Amino acid sequence: MFKSNNVTARLFERQICTPAPGTSIHRARRFYENIVPSYTIYDVECPDHSFRKFTDDGLYLVSFSRNHQDLVVYRPTWLTFSCKEEDCDTHDLPLKSRKFESFFTQLYSVTLASSGELICKDFFLYMESNQFGLFATSTAQIHDAPPTGGGIQGVPSVEKITFHLLRLEDGAILDERVFHNDYVNLAHSIGAFLYDDLLAIVSLRYQRIHILQIRDSGDLVDVRAIGEFCREDDELFLNSNSQVLVNHVGNGFHHSLPESETSFLSGIKQRLLSFIFRGIWNEETDQTMVSRNADSHPSFFAVYNMESTEIVAFYQNSADELYFLFELFSDHFHVSSKSSLHMNFMSSHSNNIHALEQLRCTKNKATNFSQFVKKMMASLPFSCQSQSPSPYFDQSLFRFDEKLISAIDRHRQSTDHPIKFISRRQPNILKFKMKPGPEAGSTDGRTKKICSFLFHPILPLALSVQQTLFLQASVVNIHFRR
């Protein structure tokens, strides 16, 4: 193993040595041990925006206006300045370095929300192959809406939810899809999943999964809706047979039936109940049996084959078998598009020994294994594009406190102490550290603060955004390699 910490020496070693087959990209990523964010500009002068994330290819920084009406997209650049002194490293950076515009160039601002809608600031999906962005706007929730039109009792209703497909290069709105009097969980993109050019949107109110295709032209095309019907011709078949039933009744072959006897379960619910029944009938293991314990928050996982319309597996959230599959094959639960190279190197306990050791340590400390399994399963199913592909979250390169920072796209409780990134190869070497919030720390330690981190997927560049719960201005710091 090459052990030099000198970048020049590592470049020379790369020239004279050929890496083992299949390891060239992993070996190249190890250069990030030497190229780290080594400098922080605190409390940068920046627009009062809600910064969302970098796109996975690093070309764009997506943000929203504070009134949740406009999409504002930036192009990451780099701070450049001249120095006439002999030792420029010892001099302070110029005043312009404290400006957001020195690191990012605004490409455009587009108004997305209209007619009482607001942008969902936690929703954004990126199609890297075409550089398309998917955004969502919605009106306010109605929590006590009646279950009309087949809606589910107790599920909120939103008068209008609009999905906007944009070309991020110039902000052109290519297509829109509107859902009326429906409910889709937009927070952290939970209610939608993008795989290559297929988009799945989950309607909780009507218990449907809408499958759409994103064409290269930028059109959103309906593929199918899974819920009442599973196959494309199910509705045609049922309608034709109901017509036959009406003819029989009209000819006297059949007496009228009560409405409850002629109604059907939805197609996917029928398949799920049939799968559970067959499992009980065949006396299978607890994988299929539904537990009758007093758990106040039971949940279940079903694996559905969209092509064959079959339920492949069904698990309760306390199933040991599901947990062991999760432990051994975690990458299969993080389904990423085949065209995205950057997303293929995120650390998980099925591809990284350090992440696996950390998981097993947590498991060994758990006093109740069943509760531990439920806690782990609470993260499933993983939201689409919910993790940063930054190499600084590669656990084979760096060690850090995952309670304070991680690749998962979530707000964290802020701390006044720097977050340290320790070399994994040299356990006692501090590679770099990042401190959210003001440079001198917070003056009021009683105020609850949260922080989010936005790492560029390729460059040694990151934003830390600290905010309080009282609508005060955010503190934005830029961490980069000087």
Side-chain angles (χ1 to χ4, degrees):
M1 179 183 295
F2 189 71
K3 297 184 180 299
S4 175
N5 284 321
N6 184 280
V7 174
T8 305
R10 297 187 75 162
L11 288 171
F12 178 73
E13 188 265 351
R14 186 176 67 175
Q15 286 183 311
I16 63 176
C17 298
T18 302
T23 65
S24 58
I25 295 180
H26 290 278
R27 188 172 181 180
R29 284 170 62 86
R30 294 186 60 183
F31 276 81
Y32 284 100
E33 291 179 325
N34 299 77
I35 306 173
V36 298
S38 59
Y39 193 85
T40 298
I41 300 178
Y42 292 92
D43 202 0
V44 175
E45 298 177 17
C46 66
D48 188 18
H49 292 336
S50 175
F51 296 102
R52 179 65 183 94
K53 66 182 296 185
F54 289 98
T55 54
D56 294 336
D57 53 13
L59 294 178
Y60 307 99
L61 172 64
V62 173
S63 67
F64 306 110
S65 61
R66 187 62 66 180
N67 61 3
H68 298 168
Q69 297 289 313
D70 305 321
L71 163 69
V72 186
V73 174
Y74 294 89
R75 172 63 53 83
T77 54
W78 202 259
L79 177 67
T80 58
F81 64 95
S82 61
C83 178
K84 298 180 180 179
E85 306 295 334
E86 293 183 0
D87 188 6
C88 295
D89 291 339
T90 60
H91 289 267
D92 293 334
L93 294 177
L95 292 178
K96 73 172 186 177
S97 67
R98 301 193 61 84
K99 296 182 179 296
F100 185 81
E101 293 77 14
S102 296
F103 292 86
F104 300 93
T105 301
Q106 180 176 326
L107 297 181
Y108 53 82
S109 175
V110 178
T111 299
L112 292 183
S114 61
S115 304
E117 289 183 283
L118 296 175
I119 294 176
C120 177
K121 63 184 180 65
D122 292 329
F123 186 94
F124 168 58
L125 296 178
Y126 180 54
M127 191 175 183
E128 185 174 339
S129 58
N130 289 8
Q131 295 183 6
F132 293 161
L134 187 72
F135 304 90
T137 59
S138 70
T139 56
Q141 292 185 18
I142 304 173
H143 293 278
D144 55 351
T148 58
I152 302 299
Q153 177 72 38
V155 176
S157 178
V158 178
E159 182 181 353
K160 184 181 180 182
I161 303 173
T162 307
F163 292 91
H164 310 262
L165 184 68
L166 274 76
R167 185 170 55 231
L168 290 185
E169 180 182 9
D170 55 9
I173 299 178
L174 304 176
D175 203 353
E176 294 180 344
R177 183 55 52 93
V178 180
F179 292 82
H180 293 285
N181 301 316
D182 207 335
Y183 182 73
V184 178
N185 193 346
L186 300 176
H188 302 290
S189 307
I190 292 176
F193 201 96
L194 179 64
Y195 181 76
D196 288 338
D197 62 349
L198 289 181
L199 172 66
I201 299 176
V202 180
S203 164
L204 294 178
R205 183 166 174 79
Y206 297 104
Q207 300 290 287
R208 297 190 192 112
I209 304 173
H210 299 272
I211 308 296
L212 297 89
Q213 184 182 31
I214 302 177
R215 298 284 177 85
D216 292 341
S217 59
D219 296 314
L220 291 169
V221 180
D222 290 315
V223 176
R224 70 179 67 172
I226 302 171
E228 298 99 324
F229 313 109
C230 294
R231 298 186 185 275
E232 297 178 0
D233 60 347
D234 280 355
E235 185 175 11
L236 176 64
F237 175 80
L238 290 176
N239 289 338
S240 62
N241 279 272
S242 64
Q243 185 63 39
V244 172
L245 178 60
V246 171
N247 291 337
H248 280 301
V249 172
N251 294 329
F253 292 109
H254 203 293
H255 296 288
S256 61
L257 294 174
E259 183 179 351
S260 61
E261 295 184 24
T262 59
S263 62
F264 291 92
L265 293 172
S266 67
I268 193 164
K269 185 181 293 185
Q270 175 66 44
R271 282 162 171 74
L272 180 59
L273 292 177
S274 299
F275 183 88
I276 296 173
F277 174 79
R278 290 198 303 270
I280 297 175
W281 183 265
N282 295 329
E283 296 182 351
E284 292 184 353
T285 64
D286 290 341
Q287 161 195 338
T288 305
M289 298 285 285
V290 179
S291 173
R292 293 178 174 82
N293 59 23
D295 189 352
S296 58
H297 298 286
S299 61
F300 305 91
F301 298 92
V303 182
Y304 176 75
N305 187 320
M306 191 170 67
E307 296 300 324
S308 66
T309 73
E310 296 178 347
I311 300 293
V312 177
F314 180 72
Y315 302 95
Q316 193 165 354
N317 64 334
S318 58
D320 295 353
E321 181 180 352
L322 179 60
Y323 168 76
F324 290 123
L325 289 173
F326 172 73
E327 182 177 300
L328 295 174
F329 307 104
S330 176
D331 288 347
H332 293 270
F333 292 86
H334 288 279
V335 181
S336 60
S337 296
K338 293 177 288 186
S339 60
S340 178
L341 174 64
H342 309 92
M343 304 300 291
N344 295 329
F345 296 96
M346 295 183 298
S347 297
S348 71
H349 39 262
S350 61
N351 65 26
N352 187 284
I353 185 62
H354 306 289
L356 179 60
E357 289 178 354
Q358 185 175 358
L359 175 69
R360 289 180 173 173
C361 180
T362 305
K363 180 174 67 174
N364 294 334
K365 291 179 180 179
T367 56
N368 187 314
F369 182 71
S370 178
Q371 292 298 324
F372 166 78
V373 170
K374 292 178 183 179
K375 183 179 179 180
M376 292 295 103
M377 297 302 101
S379 61
L380 297 180
F382 291 119
S383 301
C384 182
Q385 300 180 8
S386 61
Q387 289 187 287
S388 169
S390 169
Y392 301 108
F393 291 121
D394 189 337
Q395 295 195 42
S396 63
L397 301 179
F398 302 100
R399 177 169 53 88
F400 46 87
D401 188 348
E402 288 202 80
K403 295 179 181 178
L404 301 177
I405 191 171
S406 75
I408 299 176
D409 179 22
R410 289 293 189 274
H411 293 293
R412 300 298 176 111
Q413 184 174 350
S414 186
T415 174
D416 291 332
H417 304 288
I419 299 173
K420 299 179 180 180
F421 286 74
I422 309 297
S423 171
R424 183 69 75 175
R425 190 162 55 91
Q426 297 172 300
N428 297 322
I429 301 298
L430 172 66
K431 283 303 192 178
F432 69 100
K433 56 186 177 181
M434 301 175 61
K435 181 183 178 300
E439 183 175 8
S442 175
T443 56
D444 185 5
R446 298 170 298 177
T447 303
K448 186 175 182 180
K449 302 176 289 293
I450 58 176
C451 188
S452 58
F453 294 90
L454 287 72
F455 275 72
H456 193 278
I458 303 169
L459 301 175
L461 173 67
L463 297 179
S464 61
V465 183
Q466 185 188 74
Q467 52 192 327
T468 65
L469 303 180
F470 300 103
L471 301 180
Q472 299 176 1
S474 301
V475 177
V476 179
N477 299 336
I478 295 182
H479 313 268
F480 68 107
R481 178 177 175 81
R482 180 174 173 178

